[in-house]
């Protein structure tokens, strides 16, 4: 599949409230191209609720249910059941929540919806921070990253949300990155055809939050995959498989690029390099990523 | 457009819900149509959807809404887009 094969139809209208270079609208444009107009989005209180723009207008061409931060997955369960009672078929119920709303605040509602076997797609838009409220740490923030609440760099490593979701043994789990739109499109198309709960997590580099120039959004995402900091995988019928560049890394056909290339592009990791190189913390990051890949190799 | 008769407040879709966001721009993307190979990378990566894809897969920039982030210029493999500082209005 090439970029040319993606549908022309747009569901995100120009002139929204998003910052220039925002990865949220890049991701949402591709995701909605795959989902089509028979889609209901459930959006908790986060950045995308802002991008929708102000009443009485919205920048999105699909119906949206705005709901409290912790309730997105629960609300989607309600929408999904409601549609069943009305006899409506082929409507995609999709939660579009951030990493704060997924890893931290929304995790109990998400876990419940997965356990109840709700027929919906849960998309976690992972920019590794609470960006809407001004860049605070979340459970997805990586080790040593600066945020306004981790000024010297975060002391803890991020959680493995993919593994938490897979532990619910749902039919489909996938990770994607905005820099690979064909891969993201294919995964959403696949999720659409499966009944039951589906979970897709998209890595979305945030220029003001990660401290890089706004024209580099896609490049930073691509480097995250090429350095192995972000894996692209799918989990179906209890089995994991890897896609694109991540498949080559897993099979040992290419060597991951050094993690430093990705770290150095982002101002949030500046404390690792200035005033002097922090060998200890860089080594810990490298070890963490290597361990993650060894763990993947043992699962495939 | 269908208007719905419901008790709760609802918003309706509109192009330019925040006005003509082209005014936010500091740098303007200029497309060199001679160099363009119609790969559509700029179109799919534009956060704003401000790159218009035409029937023949050629592209055009919608300056009314382009916020000037420069992703299109950074992602273009044949360097057909260059960023030029906006002149003061």
């Amino acid at each position: 599949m090439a970029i040319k094969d993606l549908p022309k139809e747009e569901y995100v209208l120009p002139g929204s409230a998003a910052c220039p270079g925002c990865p949220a609208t890049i991701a949402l444009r591709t995701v909605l191209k795959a989902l089509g107009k028979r889609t209901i989005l459930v959006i908790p209180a986060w950045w995308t609720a802002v991008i929708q723009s102000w009443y009485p207008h919205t920048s999105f061409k699909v119906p949206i249910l705005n709901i409290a931060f912790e309730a997105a997955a629960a609300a989607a369960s309600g929408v999904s059941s409601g549609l069943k009672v009305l006899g409506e078929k082929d409507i995609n119920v999709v939660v579009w929540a951030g990493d704060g709303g997924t890893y931290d605040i929304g995790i109990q509602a998400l876990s419940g919806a997965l356990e109840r076997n709700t027929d919906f797609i849960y998309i976690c838009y992972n920019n590794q921070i609470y960006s809407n409220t001004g860049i605070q740490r979340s459970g997805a923030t990586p080790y040593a990253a600066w945020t306004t609440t981790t000024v010297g760099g975060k002391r803890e490593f991020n959680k493995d949300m993919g593994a938490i979701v897979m532990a619910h043994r749902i039919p489909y789990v996938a990770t994607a990155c905005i820099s690979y739109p064909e891969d993201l499109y294919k995964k959403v198309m696949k999720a659409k055809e499966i009944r039951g709960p589906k979970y897709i997590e998209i890595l979305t580099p945030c220029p003001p939050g990660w401290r890089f120039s706004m024209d580099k959004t896609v490049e930073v995402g691509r480097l995250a995959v090429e350095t192995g900091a972000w894996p692209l995988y799918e989990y179906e019928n209890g089995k994991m498989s890897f896609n694109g560049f991540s498949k080559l890394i897993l099979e040992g056909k290419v060597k991951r690029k050094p993690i430093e290339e990705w770290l150095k592009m982002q101002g949030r990791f500046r404390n690792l390099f200035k005033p002097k190189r922090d060998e200890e913390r860089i080594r810990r990051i490298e070890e963490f990523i290597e361990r993650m890949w060894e763990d993947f190799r043992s699962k495939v | 457009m269908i208007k719905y008769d419901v008790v709760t407040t609802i918003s309706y879709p509109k192009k330019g819900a925040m006005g003509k966001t082209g005014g936010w721009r500091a740098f303007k993307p200029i497309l060199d149509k001679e160099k363009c190979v119609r790969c559509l990378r700029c179109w799919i990566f534009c956060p704003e959807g401000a790159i218009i894809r035409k029937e023949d897969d050629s592209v055009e920039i919608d300056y009314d809404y382009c916020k000037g982030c420069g992703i299109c210029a950074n992602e273009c493999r044949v360097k057909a887009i260059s960023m030029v500082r906006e002149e003061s209005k």
Side-chain angles (χ1 to χ4, degrees):
Chain A
M1 163 173 259
I3 292 173
K4 279 186 199 310
D5 304 326
L6 300 179
K8 285 184 182 162
E9 187 63 36
E10 295 288 347
Y11 298 95
V12 180
L13 297 168
S16 71
C19 308
C22 180
T25 40
I26 301 181
L28 200 54
R29 276 184 66 218
T30 305
V31 166
L32 287 176
K33 277 176 194 299
L35 292 171
K37 68 174 180 188
R38 285 179 72 78
T39 298
I40 297 173
L41 285 181
V42 179
I43 298 183
W46 70 290
W47 181 219
T48 298
V50 178
I51 298 173
Q52 279 166 229
S53 311
W54 293 339
Y55 177 81
H57 306 305
T58 163
S59 292
F60 301 163
K61 269 164 79 179
V62 292
I64 298 164
L65 171 65
N66 285 116
I67 195 82
F69 228 141
E70 53 279 81
S77 288
V79 173
S80 183
S81 306
L83 290 172
K84 205 190 248 175
V85 171
L86 291 172
E88 292 280 0
K89 279 177 190 154
D90 306 322
I91 294 183
N92 307 305
V93 180
V94 180
V95 174
W96 178 261
D99 55 290
T102 305
Y103 281 60
D104 305 337
I105 307 173
I107 194 168
Q108 61 85 11
L110 170 61
S111 178
L114 299 179
E115 186 265 333
R116 288 191 302 271
N117 211 25
T118 299
D119 185 17
F120 78 139
I121 307 176
Y122 191 103
I123 300 182
C124 169
Y125 162 99
N126 181 0
N127 61 7
Q128 307 187 326
I129 36 163
Y130 286 87
S131 59
N132 189 30
T133 45
I135 319 167
Q136 288 85 19
R137 91 191 268 291
S138 80
T141 305
Y143 177 72
W146 165 91
T147 66
T148 53
T149 45
T150 56
V151 175
K154 194 183 168 194
R155 294 197 190 110
E156 304 82 16
F157 284 94
N158 50 305
K159 342 178 170 172
D160 185 353
M161 194 66 203
I164 295 172
V165 174
M166 280 185 261
H168 291 76
R169 295 185 288 268
I170 62 171
Y172 188 72
V173 180
T175 57
C177 173
I178 51 136
S179 312
Y180 301 88
E182 303 100 313
D183 180 66
L184 172 59
Y185 180 83
K186 260 192 279 185
K187 285 170 177 169
V188 177
M189 287 300 274
K190 194 184 257 186
K192 221 173 107 170
E193 299 306 322
I194 300 169
R195 299 275 69 87
K198 286 84 63 177
Y199 177 88
I200 300 175
E201 186 165 337
I202 311 171
L203 183 76
T204 49
C206 168
W210 295 16
R211 292 285 187 260
F212 61 83
S213 159
M214 61 188 173
D215 59 332
K216 300 276 187 275
T217 305
V218 177
E219 199 178 324
V220 171
R222 196 160 44 234
L223 260 179
V225 172
E226 289 176 354
T227 55
W230 184 254
L232 300 177
Y233 64 75
E234 280 178 300
Y235 167 90
E236 279 172 287
N237 309 319
K239 270 216 153 106
M240 268 178 107
S241 62
F242 285 72
N243 317 102
F245 203 88
S246 299
K247 190 173 180 208
L248 300 175
I249 296 176
L250 188 92
E251 291 170 352
K253 286 183 181 151
V254 289
K255 219 174 137 45
R256 311 189 269 112
K257 286 188 177 171
I259 189 68
E260 274 189 61
E261 278 185 37
W262 185 64
L263 299 177
K264 274 185 176 160
M265 272 192 91
Q266 307 166 54
R268 64 174 174 161
F269 290 111
R270 203 173 62 160
N271 53 36
L272 291 177
F273 302 100
K274 278 176 186 171
K276 70 177 186 20
R277 235 181 106 87
D278 191 334
E279 297 292 348
E280 171 62 18
R281 283 200 288 178
I282 295 172
R283 190 185 56 78
R284 289 186 70 179
I285 295 171
E286 186 62 48
E287 266 179 20
F288 177 79
I289 291 171
E290 195 48 48
R291 213 175 316 130
M292 178 176 83
W293 283 97
E294 272 167 31
D295 187 38
F296 286 148
R297 284 186 191 105
S298 70
K299 279 180 187 162
V300 173
Chain B
M1 193 169 54
I2 317 159
K3 293 271 180 183
Y4 297 93
D5 187 22
V6 285
V7 279
T8 179
T9 50
I10 48 174
S11 297
Y12 292 92
K14 183 180 183 255
K15 193 174 175 180
M18 297 301 284
K20 296 215 162 152
T21 48
W24 299 12
R25 209 164 49 228
F27 287 87
K28 184 178 186 172
I30 307 287
L31 171 72
D32 182 344
K33 287 196 171 155
E34 298 286 303
K35 282 190 190 168
C36 175
V37 292
R38 304 183 183 189
C39 69
L40 296 173
R41 283 173 68 80
C42 56
W43 167 73
I44 198 69
F45 287 131
C46 177
E48 207 50 37
I51 292 190
I52 301 157
R53 176 181 176 181
K54 297 205 180 148
E55 279 305 315
D56 62 350
D57 284 345
S58 64
V59 292
E60 205 167 76
I61 299 164
D62 185 347
Y63 292 115
D64 280 349
Y65 299 107
C66 164
K67 291 170 180 167
C69 68
I71 290 179
C72 52
N74 198 54
E75 290 306 312
C76 181
R77 287 191 170 151
V78 291
K79 302 213 177 325
I81 302 175
S82 45
M83 300 301 288
V84 182
R85 184 172 277 281
E86 284 279 350
E87 294 186 15
S88 53
K89 283 159 197 154

